[in-house]
Amino acid sequence: MKKLIIISLLFATTSLFAQKINLQKVEPPNWFVGMENTHLQLLVYGKNISKTDVVINSEKAELKVVSKVQNPNYLFLDIDISKDAKPGNFNILFKLKGKTKAKYSYQLSEKPKRKRGFSQSDFIYLLMPDRFANGNPDNDSADGLLEKINRSNPDGRHGGDIQGVINHLDYIQNIGVTALWLNPVLENNNPSYSYHGYAITDFYKTDPRIGTDEGYKQLSDELHKRKMKLIEDMIFNHCSENHWWMKDLPTDNWVNTNKDFHTNYRGSTITDPHASQSDYKKMTEGWFVSSMPDLNQHNPFLANYLIQNSIWRILTYDLDGIRMDTYPYPFKDFMSEWAQRLHAEFPDITLLGETWLHKVPYTAYFQANSPISGNYNSHLDCITDFSLYYATKAAFNEKEGWEEGLLRIYNIFAQDFLYANPENIVIFLDNHDLDRYFSDVGEDMNKFKMGICVLLTARGIPVLFYGDEILKTGFEYQGHGHIRTDFPGGWKTDKKNAFTKEGRTEKQNEAFNFIKKIADFRKTSKALTEGKLLQFIPENNTYVYFRYTDNEAVMIMLNNNDTESRTISWSRFSEILKNYNTGKNIISGKKYEKLDKITINKKSAIIIKLKK
Ligand code: CA
């Protein structure tokens, strides 16, 4: 009997020790007053935190629900922020038998006023922060972060950072771009291949090798001073296997399936009326790769966590847009809720989804108010035009055929009836996952320029991948490191500095100036940034299309012939040209006093601003 008492006493002491409370995380770490939606759900993490009683005694906030989940180290707190709450802090107390064991001072700030998104009037520059410029060699490696700098490894960390971007904003702006999209800047604490940023280990922390949270906000402020915009790259489909919660998951359904069950990468299964359930499950619940767990956005706590993370990031970093990676892979009902809740809070923000799908209808389905998505509405503003990408990749390398050559581009635009809003599509010649465009066209400057002409005059929002303006080369099959090489001049030891005119070759300056000339014109042209598109079927290896408003028009002509110039009579285009008397080539400056016929050189493009 005595023995039994001793044992149970021992047991009681042990369980008291077991209830040691160690508060580690409250996320979102702070929030805002003046929000449209006054509901806030906090994730609280800490050893045995669910054993505590949570108390909030404040006029600012009311604790509505405390939710426990499978793992006793988590709590989810549903809080209502008072409509009248003023900025300031309130305490969240975690008590055990009446005694406060942990306390978190929760800060509420005024919701910043913001009214911006990006649109067709913008020209976006995409850059990979690790590969652009090293503005701070002291942060190349950091204590506690697994992967250290190794610039000789194409897949290693090279030391580029946010300070490097800030240092070269004059250069970036001088290209004629108006918005910046950085590959992800959040912490990627992975042992190798961590530079690209798509395997996040903390949704609330800038990777210290890329910069600080303050530095990221400084970049945002510097861009806004220049009337430029910041687009943040996010990933809700997956996180890294090294994300902090992977060691101690809140619930067993926080992530889907397991690391051996991979996605089939077939976005068609989302829209296919005949898709099998097993294919659909593989697409949406399979892991992107074994090191990136597939997040289950059907867990309501995780869904809230991700949506609030977006809201927090928009407000904290004054973002103008979000580019969502691997958009078709997360559950589409969740992605729709995400877009709706963000738009309810920020009507002007632009949400872009990466829809890497090879056919127009697959892509069009995912745009808000799609005419072909049945009862489903994604509420997503903007999608990526991979169809036009594949067309411009091939067109200038081909002879004309019923579907080949310039017909490829014509046929993409001819399918715009499938889109709810064909102007709100991001267009590009390449990006961080694709062959460099200059390599695609066999390093042929004429073909390169034709591609640039289409990029900057087609409907949609153009994106330039960093370094295309200096004719960077590389094929994806060589490895991603080869299409994401360092920008020359971004590192102190670099022998060449392509940030300056003097540091670029003659050919690089030719490419840079060509892009800049059209981009600068584009900024001033309502026809190119707001106008409609009128196209004429390609004939004889030449293709003519117009962008126009009621008051102005721009004529774009492409001759895809390898050997001969073409003379085109303008009578075919009289339905629009009847409104105009003269024209000016915006690249060469040549004036056309009479609009009757024009000769266009082999393998070239002309852009003519028409005048009444
Ligand atoms: Ca650095």
Side-chain angles (χ1 to χ4, degrees):
M1 188 70 184
K2 209 172 177 186
K3 208 172 180 183
L4 201 68
I5 291 168
I6 292 168
I7 289 169
S8 58
L9 264 174
L10 257 173
F11 195 76
T13 327
T14 322
S15 66
L16 258 180
F17 274 118
Q19 288 180 5
K20 196 170 158 68
I21 307 302
N22 178 19
L23 179 65
Q24 291 183 44
K25 281 182 188 292
V26 175
E27 288 179 347
N30 57 283
W31 201 245
F32 304 89
V33 296
M35 301 290 282
E36 293 297 320
N37 183 358
T38 57
H39 173 250
L40 172 67
Q41 186 175 73
L42 299 181
L43 175 154
V44 181
Y45 179 65
K47 189 78 184 153
N48 285 318
I49 200 73
S50 68
K51 305 269 168 62
T52 62
D53 301 311
V54 183
V55 178
I56 294 175
N57 239 328
S58 169
E59 285 179 352
K60 295 180 190 299
E62 187 184 346
L63 181 60
K64 292 284 194 184
V65 182
V66 177
S67 301
K68 297 180 184 186
V69 291
Q70 280 166 302
N71 184 336
N73 299 332
Y74 288 84
L75 276 178
F76 292 88
L77 311 181
D78 285 275
I79 292 172
D80 191 61
I81 308 290
S82 165
K83 270 275 179 205
D84 312 317
K86 298 267 180 291
N89 289 41
F90 65 86
N91 286 329
I92 308 174
L93 306 177
F94 300 89
K95 294 188 169 191
L96 215 54
K97 292 183 181 161
K99 278 193 169 171
T100 301
K101 293 285 176 182
K103 186 170 99 173
Y104 188 90
S105 177
Y106 201 87
Q107 189 187 32
L108 295 173
S109 318
E110 190 76 44
K111 178 186 179 186
K113 294 205 181 356
R114 59 171 313 291
K115 227 181 171 356
R116 268 176 281 101
F118 64 90
S119 69
Q120 200 176 205
S121 60
D122 286 302
F123 177 22
I124 301 169
Y125 193 65
L126 161 63
L127 70 81
M128 185 152 275
D130 182 62
R131 301 300 169 89
F132 188 66
N134 189 355
N136 178 13
D138 293 339
N139 69 4
D140 292 354
S141 300
D143 289 346
L145 294 181
L146 298 169
E147 192 176 9
K148 310 298 178 191
I149 187 166
N150 180 4
R151 212 179 157 207
S152 61
N153 176 2
D155 296 328
R157 297 200 76 106
H158 290 191
D161 48 38
I162 288 169
Q163 189 57 51
V165 179
I166 293 174
N167 293 350
H168 293 101
L169 285 177
D170 283 345
Y171 168 82
I172 293 169
Q173 192 171 22
N174 192 32
I175 301 168
V177 300
T178 63
L180 193 58
W181 154 24
L182 302 180
N183 294 114
V185 297
L186 288 170
E187 185 194 83
N188 272 236
N189 190 10
N190 303 307
S192 63
Y193 197 48
S194 69
Y195 75 90
H196 55 73
Y198 288 97
I200 291 172
T201 52
D202 189 329
F203 286 95
Y204 282 97
K205 188 180 174 196
T206 308
D207 192 294
R209 294 159 295 188
I210 296 293
T212 59
D213 296 338
E214 294 73 25
Y216 186 43
K217 178 63 166 63
Q218 192 198 340
L219 171 64
S220 175
D221 292 343
E222 294 292 333
L223 284 167
H224 292 141
K225 272 186 223 162
R226 294 165 184 262
K227 305 242 181 296
M228 293 174 72
K229 295 167 184 175
L230 179 61
I231 302 166
E232 176 160 308
D233 209 332
M234 284 300 306
I235 315 102
F236 284 178
N237 179 63
H238 48 259
C239 62
S240 165
E241 62 182 341
N242 292 313
H243 189 285
W244 62 263
W245 61 38
M246 291 307 296
K247 290 176 196 76
D248 195 24
L249 283 169
T251 63
D252 59 16
N253 70 351
W254 197 255
V255 301
N256 289 317
T257 62
N258 62 72
K259 70 181 170 63
D260 298 319
F261 186 79
H262 287 186
T263 180
N264 47 24
Y265 310 98
R266 292 278 179 186
S268 56
T269 58
I270 313 292
T271 49
D272 176 6
H274 316 294
S276 66
Q277 283 182 29
S278 65
D279 284 347
Y280 173 77
K281 184 179 166 71
K282 219 166 161 32
M283 169 65 194
T284 52
E285 298 184 34
W287 288 27
F288 202 73
V289 292
S290 294
S291 58
M292 295 177 181
D294 192 73
L295 294 171
N296 175 18
Q297 307 86 11
H298 280 164
N299 178 307
F301 296 116
L302 178 57
N304 259 323
Y305 181 91
L306 294 172
I307 292 168
Q308 290 179 161
N309 179 257
S310 287
I311 293 170
W312 185 89
R313 299 199 65 79
I314 290 167
L315 288 170
T316 303
Y317 296 108
D318 200 6
L319 305 176
D320 302 286
I322 290 179
R323 179 266 185 189
M324 182 58 70
D325 187 63
T326 48
Y327 179 83
Y329 293 75
F331 297 118
K332 67 176 184 180
D333 54 333
F334 162 75
M335 289 315 300
S336 175
E337 187 194 343
W338 169 74
Q340 287 178 77
R341 279 178 56 185
L342 263 56
H343 279 314
E345 215 54 73
F346 317 107
D348 300 291
I349 192 106
T350 306
L351 304 176
L352 159 68
E354 181 208 22
T355 43
W356 190 343
L357 301 158
H358 292 234
K359 301 282 180 197
V360 175
Y362 296 157
T363 312
Y365 177 95
F366 287 106
Q367 193 174 34
N369 307 313
S370 168
I372 56 169
S373 63
N375 294 327
Y376 176 68
N377 189 344
S378 70
H379 296 276
L380 179 74
D381 307 295
C382 196
I383 47 191
T384 51
D385 194 348
F386 273 86
S387 298
L388 183 62
Y389 158 71
Y390 287 110
T392 48
K393 182 182 174 71
F396 308 120
N397 295 326
E398 290 178 334
K399 298 246 180 293
E400 189 165 289
W402 187 252
E403 298 270 354
E404 291 77 35
L406 296 170
L407 265 299
R408 284 188 192 274
I409 300 170
Y410 166 86
N411 276 329
I412 297 303
F413 297 149
Q415 295 173 70
D416 277 356
F417 67 96
L418 294 167
Y419 288 115
N421 184 353
E423 290 77 36
N424 235 357
I425 304 180
V426 157
I427 59 176
F428 47 95
L429 299 170
D430 58 11
N431 67 27
H432 58 289
D433 290 324
L434 305 168
D435 298 338
R436 284 280 183 178
Y437 192 65
F438 196 49
S439 293
D440 267 337
V441 293
E443 302 186 22
D444 180 317
M445 189 65 133
N446 292 332
K447 293 177 183 177
F448 177 83
K449 286 182 175 176
M450 291 172 86
I452 293 293
C453 275
V454 172
L455 177 72
L456 292 173
T457 60
R459 89 289 184 265
I461 308 165
V463 178
L464 186 76
F465 185 38
Y466 82 99
D468 280 354
E469 71 278 14
I470 55 161
L471 302 173
K472 266 190 176 292
T473 55
F475 289 103
E476 196 264 343
Y477 73 81
Q478 299 170 295
H480 278 163
H482 294 267
I483 50 180
R484 305 164 180 173
T485 52
D486 300 341
F487 194 98
W491 280 251
K492 277 208 175 96
T493 51
D494 288 355
K495 290 198 176 67
K496 284 189 175 163
N497 180 6
F499 288 116
T500 66
K501 190 169 67 182
E502 297 73 24
R504 295 190 286 265
T505 65
E506 200 178 318
K507 232 176 156 184
Q508 285 175 327
N509 274 320
E510 189 183 342
F512 182 97
N513 294 335
F514 188 81
I515 295 169
K516 177 177 170 55
K517 193 141 210 178
I518 306 174
D520 285 346
F521 169 69
R522 191 180 180 279
K523 280 186 204 166
T524 68
S525 170
K526 288 243 186 294
L528 291 183
T529 54
E530 295 174 18
K532 292 178 181 162
L533 170 65
L534 173 70
Q535 64 170 347
F536 294 80
I537 302 167
E539 281 179 358
N540 206 8
N541 257 330
T542 55
Y543 173 37
V544 176
Y545 62 90
F546 294 81
R547 299 291 307 281
Y548 68 101
T549 65
D550 289 344
N551 302 313
E552 60 178 80
V554 175
M555 181 180 193
I556 299 98
M557 312 174 81
L558 300 161
N559 176 4
N560 202 24
N561 201 293
D562 287 323
T563 53
E564 294 163 45
S565 61
R566 296 274 187 235
T567 298
I568 304 171
S569 162
W570 290 17
S571 58
R572 187 179 170 209
F573 318 117
S574 62
E575 64 192 86
I576 180 160
L577 286 180
K578 67 181 182 211
N579 303 316
Y580 296 90
N581 297 313
T582 61
K584 186 181 169 188
N585 182 325
I586 66 113
I587 298 160
S588 70
K590 184 178 174 180
K591 288 184 176 159
Y592 302 91
E593 297 302 337
K594 245 174 83 181
L595 301 179
D596 52 358
K597 61 183 177 185
I598 187 168
T599 299
I600 171 168
N601 291 335
K602 64 182 181 184
K603 274 283 180 274
S604 68
I606 294 180
I607 302 171
I608 295 171
K609 183 185 178 186
L610 296 167
K611 287 185 180 159
K612 292 204 175 186

